[in-house]
Amino acid sequence: MRRGLIDRIGPLALPGGTGFSPRCFGSSGFTLIELVVVIVIVAIIAVVAIPRLNTKTFDTVGFYQEVLSSVRYAQKEAIAKRRFVCVVLTGSSVTIRFAKGAGSITCDTDLISPRGISPFTVSAQAGVTLSSVPSVATFLFDPLGRPRDTANAASPQLTMTISGDGTQSFVVETETGYVH
C-alpha cells in the first residue's frame, strides 16, 4: 500500500499548538444515523399531514357546527326579541330572518349575525349538503323559543343532517326547542 507524505507525518501543527488531520477534509456527506433520523421525521410528518389535506371532512364538520350554532342563535334571538324567527333551509345553506311586527309570523327582516353580517346566511362548501326530517324548507321559533311550522302549529321534532365526508345530525325538540 502506498502512503503519501501527509499520511506519514501525521497531524500538522498549527500556530497555537492545535493540530488537525487532513483526512477530515476528504470526508463529506451524512452518516447513516442522520439519514435514518431524517427519514423517520419525514414519515411522521407524512402520516400526520396527508390526512389533513382532505378538507372535505373539515368542511362537513365545520358546516355542521355552524348550522348547529346558527339554529341555537335563532332560538335565543326569538326569545330576546320576543318575535318569530324563521330558519330557512336549502340543500346547502341556512338563512335566518325575523318578523318585524309583534305577533306576525311573516319573517320580513334580515337577522344580523353575531359577526355583524346581514343577511345571516351560512353556506356549505361544495360536496356538503343539508337535509331535515321531516323535510321542511322553513321552520320558526316563536317568542317563547318553541319550534313552529309556517302555519304556526307545533312543529314535530326536527332532525337536521349534514352530509359530506361522513354524516352529522342534530335534533330540535318539539315542545322546548332544545337544539342538541
Side-chain angles (χ1 to χ4, degrees), residues 46-129:
V47 166
V48 172
I50 289 176
R52 296 187 188 274
L53 296 177
N54 178 8
T55 61
K56 198 170 200 180
T57 301
F58 178 77
D59 292 342
T60 303
V61 172
F63 186 60
Y64 164 77
Q65 291 174 348
E66 280 191 296
V67 171
L68 177 67
S69 63
S70 297
V71 172
R72 286 179 177 160
Y73 182 74
Q75 182 191 31
K76 291 177 193 227
E77 282 295 302
I79 295 168
K81 290 183 181 305
R82 298 183 183 163
R83 301 280 189 270
F84 280 89
V85 174
C86 300
V87 180
V88 181
L89 307 172
T90 67
S92 62
S93 69
V94 174
T95 301
I96 302 174
R97 299 176 55 102
F98 72 97
K100 192 166 191 151
S104 171
I105 64 169
T106 303
C107 295
D108 52 1
T109 307
D110 291 332
L111 185 67
I112 298 173
S113 76
R115 298 178 191 152
I117 299 170
S118 180
F120 188 159
T121 300
V122 177
S123 298
Q125 298 292 326
V128 180
T129 59

